[in-house]
Structure formats: C-alpha cells, structure tokens
Amino acid sequence: MASIQLNNVRKVYRDGAAYVAVDGASFTVADGELMVLVGPSGSGKSTLLRMIAGLESITGGDLHIGERRVNDVAPRDRDIAMVFQSYALYPHMSVRQNLGFALKLAKRPKSEIEQRVKTASCVLGLDPILDRKPRQLSGGQRQRVALGRAIVRDPAVFLFDEPLSNLDAKLRVQMRAEISALHRRLGATMVYVTHDQVEAMTLGDRIVVLHEGKIQQIGAPLHLYDHPANRFVAGFIGSPAMNFFEGTMEGAEFVAAGGALRLPVGPVWTDRLRAYAGTPVTLGIRPEALYAARGRPADAQVAPGAFTVEGLEPLGNEIFVHARAGEHAVTARVTPQPLPAPGEPLELGFDLGRLHFFDRETEQSLAPAPAPVE
Ligand code: ADP
C-alpha cells in the first residue's frame, strides 16, 4: 500500500488553444484512504485520475506514489490498478481466465496465479461463476469481475473512473456497498472519480470537490455538508440542493432582493455580518432546515407572510414543498402533515442555527472557518 501526494499538479491541453483542465491541485491521499474526486462534467476529475494513473502527461507540479516521484514513470511501473466504467473483459475468456490474465502476461508462476484468483474470487463471491464467459453474466457480475482483475494484481493503489455509472440505480447502491466493504477489507489506498455527489458522500473517507479545474474544498463528507467553504460546494453537495436567496443585510434583518422576504437572522449572524451592511450577500439554507407548522422548533424564525405554495411532492415519509417569495423559489423538506394547497400562503420557519451566508462577489462562506478536517 502507499500514499499519493500531489503538489501543485497542472494539466494544460494544447490541441489548438491552450486549455487548463487541472489548475494547481495539491492534496495527499493517506495510505489506506478512500478519496473521492467529485465535480460536474468537465471539472477535470478524469484528467486528474488519469495523471495519477500515468495515462495522461503532467504539465507541471509533482506527483508522488509512496516515496517515489512518478511524473515520468510509465503506467505499468506505478503499481496501480484501474477500474473503468466499461468492464473491457475479454469475451472469449472465462471469468477465471479474465481474472488471471494480467498475471499470466507478467509470467507469474501458475500456482501463484491460481492462489491470487482464488483469493479475489472469494472476496467478491465469484466462485459460482468462474467458468462462465462475460456474455453469460449480469452487469453487476461483470463489474465485479472487473474489480477482481484489479484485486488479483495486489496493487499499491486502486483507481476507479466512474465504475458504476452503467448500472441501474438499485445495482449501483449494492455495488457501492460492496466497494466500501472491499475497501475496509483490503485496507487499500483508493481514488474514486464520480459526478454523483451521493456516491461521493456515501463512499469517501474524504472528498475533493472540483469545479472548472480548481479544487473547491477537501474534507470528510459531513464536514463538506455542514461547512461548505463556498457557494459552489454548498449547492453541489446535498439533494435536494441548498436554497439560495440573494439580498442584503439591513440591521438585524436579511432582506431578499425585491423585498419579498425579510428575515431576522438572530444575534450571532447580525453581529458577524455587521461589516456587510448594504453589501450584497447570499443566504443559504438546506431544505431540511425549513419547517412548516408541524415539527417546527420553538426557536425557528418565521418570515411572516412571505411564501406561497407552488407545488407539493408527498413521498410518504416526507413532503417536498416547493414555494415562492417574490422572485425567490424555495424547496422545504417537511414531515408529513396537512399543508396549504398550491396558490395558498405558507408560513415557513427558518432554523437560524443552520443558516449559511456567502459573499456575493467572491462566493466564499462568511461563516467563521471551522477547524479543518483533513
Ligand atoms: P471530467 O472528468 O470532470 O468530466 P475531464 O477531466 O474529462 O472532466 O475534462 C476536463 C476538461 O478538459 C474538459 O473541459 C474537457 O473538455 C477537457 N479535455 C479533456 N481531455 C482533453 C483533450 N484530450 N484535449 C483537450 N481538452 C480535453
């Protein structure tokens, strides 16, 4: 096993105009850690992973795997194994042969190949299907064989590039749990790329959030959820997404643009935002920190007469309420209860302990920086 260290790693593509795909990435993946790289399409996460794999050249900066600087080391000499979204199994070979093929190519002794295939097969529950061909397997089984091929190589580092995005939703949840269990069992260093924030939250020891080639924040999943460093991370992590209101502070009140919402923000935020009086700020609040009448904590702050219901989504265990205050749309996630019909007014309570504020210009969080969880 090994750690991975990136120090100001850059990638500039030069087909035609130069394009900065990864802009100065620095972080360390600890030995045995599962680090998830997450971001929207085009944010540079595959490029970053491919640089770690050696499939893409590094324009600038240093990449270490273990003690060794590997910028110019060929992929096969980096002691890594990669699992892709496409399984790329050899169709004419059995599962057993697919699993052992890389070791056979490396001219390992037959007994060692058998032993390693046996171990991987046991870890992944492949024993009953070892003699089948890939076409006789389900999507989940194929992905498990692809995982097995990585395991038999016993690499220092596992790299995953959106390995589950071809699977249906139910299977994805199941495979996610299996990869998580595999990580615990092998204690292996893993880097996992996904655009799916739920996958990132449930799999990662820590998460690197990327946007437009730049690292936005690095931290444990719940740390990112509770303490987003900027508006991008706040909006990207969490589903339904955090609600945002553009506006300004007027004394102890946040006043949303257009004046449809006036919210007293409580003494803590009033104090903290004193320097921002008259300056545009963005208020953020997660759907579950908004309350309809039932279940509302006594200290939740109601913005009187502000909201009109636009639509209700009863999910059985909870209701998503879509409402509006002037130009501002909001989604609240409330416990099942009778609610006003669309078009009728709704009083929503804001949990003042769970407000977020962002500088409108820089989009950085205005909360005092919590101790970093690295
Ligand atoms: P992600 O994996 O987050 O979707 P990528 O790392 O694939 O993002 O791509 C990051 C950016 O780099 C994108 O804007 C993409 O168009 C660009 N890019 C990727 N590969 C190449 C290439 N070979 N040449 C030029 N630009 C590329």
Side-chain angles (χ1 to χ4, degrees):
M1 296 303 139
S3 63
I4 306 169
Q5 198 175 353
L6 288 85
N7 203 337
N8 206 19
V9 167
R10 277 170 63 78
K11 177 69 189 181
V12 184
Y13 287 113
R14 295 192 190 278
D15 348 339
Y19 182 83
V20 181
V22 174
D23 193 1
S26 299
F27 59 89
T28 300
V29 185
D31 189 11
E33 184 175 31
L34 197 168
M35 182 72 103
V36 176
L37 309 182
V38 71
S41 177
S43 56
K45 49 197 188 299
S46 297
T47 300
L48 199 44
L49 192 77
R50 291 169 60 81
M51 285 194 285
I52 298 172
L55 302 175
E56 202 71 74
S57 65
I58 296 174
T59 312
D62 296 307
L63 171 67
H64 286 79
I65 297 180
E67 297 297 310
R68 193 159 62 126
R69 183 178 185 274
V70 295
N71 285 48
D72 303 311
V73 174
R76 66 175 177 279
D77 298 326
R78 290 191 185 191
D79 201 6
I80 50 149
M82 196 148 169
V83 182
F84 297 93
Q85 167 184 145
S86 59
Y87 325 111
L89 303 180
Y90 297 106
H92 57 286
M93 292 184 193
S94 67
V95 168
R96 188 192 308 276
Q97 289 165 326
N98 264 288
L99 288 174
F101 191 62
L103 299 177
K104 197 172 163 196
L105 275 187
K107 301 207 165 39
R108 308 303 304 172
K110 207 166 164 206
S111 57
E112 180 191 332
I113 298 179
E114 273 173 16
Q115 186 52 46
R116 291 220 219 163
V117 167
K118 200 169 153 200
T119 306
S121 164
C122 176
V123 167
L124 292 164
L126 296 174
D127 287 348
I129 58 167
L130 276 177
D131 294 315
R132 288 202 207 160
K133 297 273 168 58
R135 69 184 143 76
Q136 298 168 301
L137 305 177
S138 69
Q141 288 170 327
R142 285 180 205 167
Q143 191 52 273
R144 222 169 275 143
V145 177
L147 272 174
R149 274 195 321 193
I151 293 173
V152 293
R153 296 177 48 202
D154 191 23
V157 171
F158 287 80
L159 303 177
F160 297 89
D161 193 357
E162 306 240 11
L164 307 185
S165 46
N166 276 344
L167 306 179
D168 66 42
K170 194 167 164 217
L171 199 50
R172 219 161 42 223
V173 171
Q174 189 189 331
M175 287 301 293
R176 212 155 67 200
E178 287 192 21
I179 290 176
S180 209
L182 190 66
H183 173 241
R184 281 195 302 275
R185 184 155 178 184
L186 301 177
T189 310
M190 297 181 169
V191 183
Y192 189 106
V193 160
T194 178
H195 64 274
D196 178 351
Q197 56 93 18
V198 175
E199 208 161 284
M201 293 292 284
T202 49
L203 262 184
D205 291 324
R206 285 190 304 155
I207 300 175
V208 176
V209 184
L210 283 157
H211 178 47
E212 295 177 344
K214 290 195 172 70
I215 293 179
Q216 304 294 309
Q217 191 171 5
I218 304 175
L222 291 181
H223 181 76
L224 299 192
Y225 190 85
D226 291 332
H227 306 286
N230 59 38
R231 184 177 164 158
F232 178 82
V233 176
F236 189 75
I237 301 281
S239 175
M242 185 184 281
N243 299 292
F244 295 110
F245 301 89
E246 313 293 353
T248 45
M249 286 302 296
E250 288 181 15
E253 278 187 337
F254 169 80
V255 182
L261 170 75
R262 301 183 77 90
L263 183 75
V265 297
V268 174
W269 277 110
T270 303
D271 208 38
R272 202 173 285 159
L273 295 176
R274 215 175 286 287
Y276 278 80
T279 313
V281 290
T282 304
L283 164 66
I285 186 157
R286 294 207 181 272
E288 68 273 21
L290 290 167
Y291 294 91
R294 186 178 295 170
R296 183 185 298 162
D299 59 354
Q301 180 66 51
V302 174
F307 291 99
T308 306
V309 175
E310 292 220 302
L312 301 171
E313 289 183 83
L315 301 178
N317 59 337
E318 58 188 0
I319 305 176
F320 291 172
V321 184
H322 304 288
R324 176 169 289 279
E327 65 197 70
H328 309 277
V330 67
T331 299
R333 186 175 190 168
V334 306
T335 50
Q337 59 191 288
L339 288 164
E344 292 180 4
L346 167 74
E347 293 212 321
L348 280 179
F350 286 63
D351 182 341
L352 298 184
R354 288 195 279 171
L355 297 184
H356 298 262
F357 280 93
F358 304 92
D359 185 304
R360 184 96 68 85
E361 191 109 335
T362 66
E363 302 200 340
Q364 295 303 302
S365 169
L366 298 175
V373 179
E374 284 279 331

